[in-house]
Amino acid sequence: NLFGQATASAAAAAWVKSQVPKSEEITNQQHVVSASIAGSLFDLPAGPLGFAIGAEYRKEKSIDDLDVLTNTGGNSGNITPDTSGNFDVKEIYGEVEVPILSGVPLAERLSVRGAARFSDYSTVGSVFSWNVGLEYAPISDIRLRATYAEANRAPNIGELFSAPAEDFPTG
């Protein structure tokens, strides 16, 4: 009987058991240097003009080290290679919030905001992300927000540096 609990003899289990234990060791490192300044520049009739500016540097490194049987397909039938890679990114950003109305009938608060970020990746190059938005509160208990944005997502180390691997056939 091949199915069910405790159906394999000790000798049969020893015959199929690997002498190399299945293992995976993952090491992730991230180093970050960041600086930012935020506050208000000056007062407008509806409130202070808010701003934030900053810069950041990140260096990321990852290693996914699998056992030799997994690398050669001996554990699962699929060859799964190790993954190793690194990248760094330099970024600068700025944000601003401009109050338009405050404390008037049907406009407890109305403001516009904008943000921009320039990122320079060592792997995929430079990207520019931005957004603009409107915030409206007709009364203090209700707040409506609208935002339009263009955002970017850089690939992670696994997506960039994984070697081709086998997969089970799909029939």
Side-chain angles (χ1 to χ4, degrees):
N1 182 5
L2 298 176
F3 306 102
Q5 286 187 315
T7 58
S9 68
W15 186 78
V16 297
K17 186 176 179 184
S18 169
Q19 297 300 313
V20 178
K22 187 168 177 68
S23 67
E24 181 174 20
E25 184 177 329
I26 301 171
T27 304
N28 292 314
Q29 293 179 348
Q30 184 181 61
H31 301 279
V32 179
V33 176
S34 180
S36 64
I37 298 172
S40 57
L41 291 175
F42 49 84
D43 287 334
L44 296 171
L49 177 81
F51 81 99
I53 57 171
E56 184 170 283
Y57 172 80
R58 287 190 320 274
K59 182 165 182 62
E60 299 191 25
K61 179 180 180 181
S62 181
I63 300 169
D64 188 356
D65 185 18
L66 299 160
D67 63 89
V68 68
L69 287 178
T70 302
N71 288 153
T72 60
N75 275 343
S76 64
N78 287 330
I79 295 172
T80 307
D82 294 338
T83 300
S84 177
N86 64 75
F87 69 88
D88 68 335
V89 59
K90 299 172 219 112
E91 297 182 306
I92 57 170
Y93 65 87
E95 301 176 22
V96 65
E97 181 176 15
V98 182
I100 307 295
L101 296 172
S102 178
V104 298
L106 294 177
E108 181 65 30
R109 178 165 177 79
L110 175 65
S111 63
V112 294
R113 56 182 63 198
R117 178 177 295 258
F118 177 78
S119 306
D120 184 19
Y121 289 85
S122 63
T123 51
V124 297
S126 300
V127 295
F128 182 71
S129 303
W130 58 272
N131 72 59
V132 293
L134 179 72
E135 184 174 299
Y136 172 58
I139 59 174
S140 61
D141 293 336
I142 297 174
R143 186 166 300 220
L144 304 168
R145 293 184 181 133
T147 303
Y148 185 82
E150 182 176 305
N152 300 281
R153 179 191 166 281
N156 63 39
I157 290 173
E159 293 165 338
L160 281 170
F161 298 105
S162 290
E166 292 181 336
D167 199 357
F168 288 112
T170 58

